[in-house]
Amino acid sequence: MVEVDFQIGGGALSRDEFGVLGPLVVRRDGRTVEVTAAKHRIVLATLLLGANRSVPPAELVRRVWGEAPPDRAAQTLPVYVMRLRRALGEPQLIRTTPTGYRIDLPPDALDLHRFEALAARGAELVRAGDPAAAVEVYERALACWRGVPLADVPSESLHEVEAPCLVERRLLVTSELVDVRLELGRCEEVIADLRRLTARHPLRERFWSQLMVALHRADRQADALDAYRQAATVLARELGVDPGEPLRAVHRAILAGDQAPPRPVEPAWSSAAQLPAPVGNFVGRAAELTRVAGRLARSGAAVVVCGPPGVGKTAFAVAAGHAARERYPDGQLYVDLRGHSTSPPLPTPVVLARFLRALGVRADHIPVGEDELVRGYRARLRGRRVLITLDNAASVGQVLPLLPEGVGHREPGPGDPGCSVLITSRNELRHPLRATTVRLDVLRGDEAWKLLARSVGPEAAASQFDALAELARLCGYLPLALRIALGNLVGSPHGDIASYVAELRGGDRLTALAVDNDDTAAVRRAFDLSYAALAPAAARLFRLVAVLPGSDFGAGGAAALLDAPEEVARGLLDDLASAHLVQRVGVDRFAPHDLIRDYAADRAAVEGEDLGSARRRLFDWYLRTAVEVGDVLYPELGRSGPPRLGPDEARAWLEAERPNVLAATEHCAAHGPRELSWRLIDAVSGYFGSHGHHVEFLHAVNAALGAARAAGDRDAEATTLVWLATEHRNLGNPRVALRHLALVRPNGLLRWLHAGLDGVVRMELGELAAAGAAFDRVAALAGEDWAPPHVRIGALAGHGALRLMRGDAAGAAELLAEGLALARAADGSNVEATCAGLLARCRTAQGDYPAAVELLRHAEASWYRTGVRPARAEALAHLAVALCLGGDRVEALRTAQRALGLVHELGGYPRVEAEVQNALGLVVRHLGKPGPAVAAHLRALELAASTEYLFGVAQSHGHLVTALVADGRRAEALRHARALADLAERGGFTVFERVAAAALAEPG
């Protein structure tokens, strides 16, 4: 249960309302409805938190029964929903949808929605310079709260995930209200509130900072300084850390007598520039561009550009976006939502994760759940001026989660948010989206003529004026048809425009079948001629484009579709690009327009092309190549044959084909063959786990897991659960990883991976006895006939790491040297690098720094070749330590900085960053800078504690003892020494016992 302060605000619900910001409340027609059954309350609370969207049954099952539901949970859930409908007195209030259950509520019916709307309005008023009005609105927002959220809803899952997010949002709004009151000079008024807030939330430094500012501005400087001392004491006692830089900055400003102490430092901002390059030879649309420019001149605008396919919506939006760039200096985001593509639409979490990464948010700060992603995205954009272009949207539902706060909900006005959104769609997106709609029709006759004339050249245009005009008419003045026609004219045998027009006028069988007034008929006529001009092999490749799962493809994918050599496919792709039937979108990458995909599918149907076989050939190529890539980068997982690729080629293929492999995984999970979905995930999981694509990977793994469960394949389910656990370990969620592992009943080779991962996670959590038992299971498996040598190596590495943690460097070195020798003989690059890195740490502990440096350079080079960047950063960190202790401090500093740059670039992996920060702190301390060293070790302590990396916590305390003593801060060093002594005893980290004992024995 989450405890939160409720002194600011208060209030009650009114008629026909629902409440989750406290005990669950339902009022219908002014009458309170009692939902007495506990599981019914869980179902209702989950639906209310997901109001106005379909909640999948799997999510409801997880909320009601947790991670290990009973066998008949899926059959029991509809019964609960039926009884809940009966209790609510309106069967249609909870609707059954194709994907789950949905409760639709008007904007003001749920207290959470009212709270969010009022909080957003308060922020708008602050930006508009009306703090007095903002205070009143913020207070109304906080009045929506009645107590602990979901207080009477007995769901462990909801209280672990949803309730803390709600509390966090409320505390953020509370702090925003305090800021506004301080701005208005109402310092005495907020001091009592802040006293309560700091008492209830003593580790939230922002409340301490606000209390200090309020006291200082109330001419109570001594009380303000005393508040700082209280904050420092509680942080040291509870976390063993000093106040953060923002709080220290306020403290320094108060000491200096500054009447406006600084506000907390915001995270670094990255200005994205994602708009594609403008389309060449763009003509016309002057009136529409002027209208859109006028809307985008005012921030907070939402503009929908709609029109039939091929009319040039994307080109128009890109042109409008570039014209408005100067008004949005904080960046321009762009995404093709694939709403009308044969490829699956981009999932909302994937889009939000990509946007957050583009805006400078590190992977470890990007949440996984959609609701948390939306909140984080909107918070990141708050107060910024960013233009977001959402191309190819299918529906309002696809767009709404991607809108910044205050955009698209009402007409723009003074004081609106700084962001604007430009949307393209074939549909007019209306309720509940409030946007300016600009409909694009075909070009005017003179504009279409100008587009053609610019491309064929002034002489041809002048001499064949009438023929160009007729060509424009035959193309229906549709931009895409005109550009396809140009592809046939420019650089082709059709030098005589009149002859080409006559050919186009003739049409063919597909054109004859076109329906009158079909928006795509003109495009089809141009396509017909382009297609008819293709050689048979190129025409066949064009037909097969219809089955592509992603947005682009290369020669390898084309070769797989054709079952032909890559050299042949590459030449045919050039033919398609010359005919403008595909576009070049990068080096050796090509993308077809959505209409072209549709046309290709039509031609395939007319000509009896076997698209199912082509799709299977393509997906088999993805799988086969992914396995070959895994052979190169992760040979420990088994080889399928001699590798044909080098490490650089393997990594390049994965990066280029990553979206396609994920799209193929989701396609197979939904449409079959299901087996391919989990086999693809199994093949690429090592790459995704080490390159920071966390949200995309989790989405695909969950799709594969659903497919495995639907197929009843327990082995496949176990495999995907292990990869889920691996990814949560990467994200710093070790307890979640253990929950997934607990659901696995592994067979065969998976027993090794399962036991090894279980040992690693428990070792990082400081459960050394349990970790040892897991590594014992790995060692036992090594004796079985099926076991490759890597199983034995894994057991040696695991037990070696445990001995190192316990302070037995000599015993650890003996095991790791054996593991290293076996790894070299077995050609296992990753396990070899692992053993080398651990053995190097033993050599460092034994004082053999040259040997440690040699081993770590070898390990770092291996990780570089295979592209496993977290392990490479960790190897660089330990290399910096060995270099520093060996006397080469300048090179040590450069190496530590390389490690820090790499881990910041990668994001995620807080355990690895803790190692890097501790290495950096050690190096700068040896360079005579104990103050920066303390800061680095405090950051390491924070990171290690956030992921329950107990050994890292102890290590950080140990480094802090030394650094603080060097900085003359003996009392603080003693606090960390006591914390270290406690951890060393509890965790069995005997390596730290001597450090703690020596520090505590030192006379003060």
Side-chain angles (χ1 to χ4, degrees):
M1 192 62 68
V2 179
E3 182 182 346
V4 66
D5 171 62
F6 300 105
Q7 297 303 313
I8 300 178
L13 293 171
S14 57
R15 298 172 60 87
D16 296 333
E17 297 188 62
F18 297 84
V20 294
L21 303 182
L24 192 66
V25 170
V26 180
R27 283 211 178 101
R28 309 297 315 285
D29 298 323
R31 177 180 60 86
T32 298
V33 177
E34 297 292 343
V35 181
T36 55
K39 288 184 169 57
H40 297 176
R41 290 201 301 276
I42 298 173
V43 172
L44 179 57
T46 305
L47 291 172
L48 290 173
L49 290 170
N52 304 320
R53 69 174 176 86
S54 182
V55 179
E59 181 178 341
L60 288 162
V61 167
R62 187 170 66 254
R63 300 303 192 200
V64 173
W65 287 284
E67 296 294 337
D71 291 339
R72 295 190 55 80
Q75 290 75 31
T76 306
L77 180 63
V79 178
Y80 288 172
V81 173
M82 177 192 69
R83 292 173 179 171
L84 183 57
R85 286 168 172 156
R86 190 178 301 154
L88 295 176
E90 184 179 341
Q92 295 306 311
L93 186 62
I94 300 174
R95 295 193 294 113
T96 302
T97 72
T99 57
Y101 298 97
R102 177 182 178 121
I103 185 168
D104 286 306
L105 301 176
D108 61 346
L110 181 64
D111 57 1
L112 173 60
H113 291 173
R114 292 198 308 277
F115 167 72
E116 291 287 5
L118 288 165
R121 181 58 183 155
E124 292 171 13
L125 290 168
V126 171
R127 288 191 291 270
D130 191 353
V135 167
E136 189 269 333
V137 173
Y138 274 136
E139 288 175 340
R140 285 169 54 202
L142 292 166
C144 295
W145 285 76
R146 297 166 289 106
V148 175
L150 309 171
D152 58 348
V153 180
S155 167
E156 180 180 346
S157 175
L158 286 174
H159 285 288
E160 280 185 357
V161 179
E162 297 296 340
C165 292
L166 295 174
V167 170
E168 184 66 29
R169 182 74 180 115
R170 182 186 184 280
L171 291 175
L172 176 62
V173 172
T174 300
S175 64
E176 290 173 356
L177 171 59
V178 171
D179 279 339
V180 181
R181 285 174 166 174
L182 289 172
E183 183 181 340
L184 290 169
R186 293 156 63 173
C187 301
E188 294 282 3
E189 170 185 315
V190 299
I191 288 172
D193 289 329
L194 285 166
R195 291 286 192 197
R196 284 191 292 267
L197 288 165
T198 52
R200 289 172 180 258
H201 311 285
L203 301 182
R204 297 186 73 91
E205 295 188 41
R206 185 169 182 179
F207 287 146
W208 285 109
S209 174
Q210 290 172 321
L211 176 59
M212 290 165 62
V213 170
L215 289 166
H216 180 58
R217 291 180 182 173
D219 295 325
R220 296 167 59 180
Q221 185 175 16
D223 289 339
L225 295 175
D226 184 61
Y228 179 78
R229 284 190 290 272
Q230 292 177 53
T233 298
V234 73
L235 290 168
R237 183 180 66 246
E238 298 296 328
L239 301 178
V241 301
D242 291 330
E245 174 55 30
L247 189 57
R248 294 202 303 273
V250 172
H251 182 231
R252 289 194 299 269
I254 291 173
L255 287 173
D258 186 351
Q259 288 301 310
R263 297 181 120 184
V265 179
E266 294 185 358
W269 175 265
S270 177
S271 180
Q274 295 185 328
L275 273 176
V279 175
N281 201 13
F282 183 84
V283 300
R285 313 294 193 195
E288 293 91 340
L289 282 171
T290 299
R291 185 180 179 204
V292 172
R295 286 298 186 183
L296 295 181
R298 289 189 294 170
S299 58
V303 178
V304 175
V305 179
C306 64
V311 82
K313 299 182 291 295
T314 297
F316 177 86
V318 169
H322 279 284
R325 285 183 65 170
E326 291 187 2
R327 297 200 60 83
Y328 298 91
D330 291 322
Q332 305 86 41
L333 297 172
Y334 171 88
V335 66
D336 177 3
L337 295 174
R338 302 198 307 227
H340 296 283
S341 172
T342 55
S343 303
L346 274 183
T348 298
V350 170
V351 177
L352 291 168
R354 290 181 184 178
F355 278 174
L356 285 170
R357 288 181 69 159
L359 295 174
V361 179
R362 286 174 35 183
D364 53 327
H365 295 164
I366 296 175
V368 173
E370 182 173 331
D371 292 343
E372 292 81 8
L373 279 164
V374 171
R375 283 193 286 268
Y377 166 69
R378 289 174 175 167
R380 185 67 170 159
L381 291 175
R382 195 176 297 142
R384 296 287 181 175
R385 296 180 64 82
V386 176
L387 177 64
I388 300 106
T389 302
L390 307 175
D391 195 15
N392 200 7
S395 65
V396 172
Q398 195 179 20
V399 166
L400 289 178
L402 306 177
L403 299 180
E405 283 180 352
V407 176
H409 303 298
R410 52 187 170 73
E411 288 298 319
D416 275 313
C419 299
S420 290
V421 178
L422 188 56
I423 305 162
T424 74
S425 178
R426 295 183 189 179
N427 308 317
E428 291 188 10
L429 307 179
R430 295 192 180 277
H431 183 77
L433 180 66
R434 297 292 298 272
T436 299
T437 301
V438 176
R439 182 173 179 83
L440 295 187
D441 206 339
V442 296
L443 295 171
R444 297 196 316 265
D446 60 321
E447 294 171 335
W449 187 92
K450 185 184 296 184
L451 173 62
L452 294 169
R454 283 183 180 178
S455 296
V456 300
E459 292 185 7
S463 63
Q464 302 190 64
F465 182 95
D466 291 339
L468 278 183
E470 176 67 0
L471 176 58
R473 187 187 70 77
L474 289 172
C475 288
Y477 308 115
L478 199 65
L480 182 59
L482 293 165
R483 294 186 187 281
I484 293 295
L486 286 171
N488 290 318
L489 280 173
V490 179
S492 73
H494 297 291
D496 183 353
I497 299 173
S499 299
Y500 177 70
V501 168
E503 190 177 357
L504 182 63
R505 189 185 291 116
D508 72 358
R509 183 167 56 136
L510 192 64
T511 301
L513 295 174
V515 179
D516 289 342
N517 300 319
D518 180 0
D519 286 327
T520 66
V523 179
R524 286 172 174 271
R525 281 191 285 272
F527 285 175
D528 288 345
L529 283 183
S530 296
Y531 177 76
L534 295 173
R540 179 167 178 256
L541 175 58
F542 173 72
R543 294 192 296 271
L544 299 180
V545 161
V547 305
L548 292 173
S551 59
D552 65 7
F553 68 122
L561 287 171
L562 291 164
D563 194 17
E566 279 197 26
E567 299 76 31
V568 173
R570 190 171 286 108
L572 298 178
L573 279 171
D574 288 337
D575 293 344
L576 295 184
S578 297
H580 286 225
L581 291 172
V582 296
Q583 293 177 299
R584 295 182 187 274
V585 292
V587 179
D588 294 329
R589 304 296 295 179
F590 302 84
H593 188 281
D594 291 345
L595 276 184
I596 288 179
R597 288 176 185 257
D598 295 341
Y599 179 82
D602 286 345
R603 296 302 321 199
V606 168
E607 301 186 30
E609 189 71 62
D610 186 356
L611 293 183
S613 295
R615 180 181 288 110
R616 184 58 190 252
R617 284 195 301 272
L618 178 63
F619 287 6
D620 283 344
W621 175 73
Y622 288 145
L623 177 60
R624 185 171 62 253
T625 313
V627 170
E628 291 173 356
V629 165
D631 288 349
V632 175
L633 301 181
Y634 315 103
E636 297 80 8
L637 300 180
R639 286 194 181 279
S640 59
R644 299 184 303 111
L645 304 172
D648 291 342
E649 294 173 292
R651 290 196 305 273
W653 184 87
L654 276 169
E655 190 58 35
E657 299 295 345
R658 170 176 58 86
N660 290 326
V661 171
L662 292 176
T665 299
E666 293 172 32
H667 181 279
C668 292
H671 306 291
R674 287 169 172 164
E675 179 188 3
L676 268 181
S677 66
W678 58 76
R679 291 182 66 193
L680 281 167
I681 283 297
D682 196 36
V684 300
S685 53
Y687 166 81
F688 282 96
S690 61
H691 284 70
H693 302 291
H694 302 297
V695 174
E696 293 169 272
F697 183 52
L698 283 173
H699 196 272
V701 174
N702 279 309
L705 177 60
R709 285 173 170 166
D713 191 320
R714 294 298 179 89
D715 289 344
E717 180 181 351
T719 300
T720 49
L721 282 168
V722 168
W723 291 125
L724 265 180
T726 302
E727 182 63 358
H728 279 290
R729 180 247 175 177
N730 291 337
L731 285 166
N733 302 322
R735 299 293 178 188
V736 178
L738 287 180
R739 284 205 295 271
H740 286 304
L741 289 175
L743 299 175
V744 176
R745 298 295 178 267
N747 293 313
L749 185 64
L750 191 65
R751 288 183 290 166
W752 161 44
L753 297 175
H754 179 270
L757 180 60
D758 186 51
V760 167
V761 173
R762 292 188 183 281
M763 182 170 62
E764 291 171 358
L765 285 168
E767 300 173 6
L768 301 193
F775 294 136
D776 284 341
R777 294 200 302 276
V778 177
L781 291 171
E784 298 191 9
D785 292 340
W786 59 266
H790 304 103
V791 181
R792 170 69 178 162
I793 299 166
L796 290 167
H799 279 301
L802 281 176
R803 289 198 180 187
L804 187 60
M805 281 186 169
R806 289 179 168 132
D808 182 8
E814 184 178 342
L815 294 174
L816 293 165
E818 181 185 350
L820 181 58
L822 286 173
R824 285 172 173 164
D827 190 25
S829 54
N830 292 300
V831 290
E832 180 183 345
T834 297
C835 290
L838 287 168
L839 180 57
R841 292 169 63 181
C842 297
R843 299 302 182 217
T844 299
Q846 293 170 318
D848 189 352
Y849 306 122
V853 167
E854 182 181 354
L855 286 164
L856 285 162
R857 289 196 191 283
H858 173 73
E860 190 269 332
S862 295
W863 295 127
Y864 176 78
R865 283 194 301 274
T866 58
V868 183
R869 294 186 290 173
R872 183 180 167 221
E874 191 170 5
L876 285 169
H878 292 297
L879 176 58
V881 172
L883 287 166
C884 178
L885 297 178
D888 192 349
R889 293 171 184 169
V890 174
E891 180 62 22
L893 181 60
R894 280 198 293 264
T895 303
Q897 289 169 338
R898 282 173 60 206
L900 188 62
L902 182 61
V903 81
H904 281 172
E905 172 193 337
L906 177 63
Y909 313 96
R911 182 194 63 80
V912 175
E913 188 177 350
E915 298 280 349
V916 171
Q917 292 283 1
N918 274 328
L920 179 63
L922 180 143
V923 172
V924 295
R925 176 173 62 81
H926 277 81
L927 288 169
K929 300 176 180 178
V934 169
H937 295 314
L938 285 172
R939 175 60 179 153
L941 179 60
E942 178 186 1
L943 288 161
S946 72
T947 189
E948 298 186 69
Y949 177 35
L950 206 61
F951 182 82
V953 172
Q955 191 175 46
S956 302
H957 281 303
H959 283 302
L960 280 166
V961 170
T962 308
L964 286 165
V965 169
D967 202 33
R969 296 153 68 177
R970 172 70 181 163
E972 294 174 62
L974 285 174
R975 286 202 300 270
H976 288 283
R978 285 191 287 269
L980 179 59
D982 178 61
L983 277 174
E985 181 179 354
R986 284 193 292 119
F989 305 131
T990 52
V991 67
F992 297 122
E993 288 179 350
R994 291 187 300 274
V995 177
L1000 293 171
E1002 187 73 22

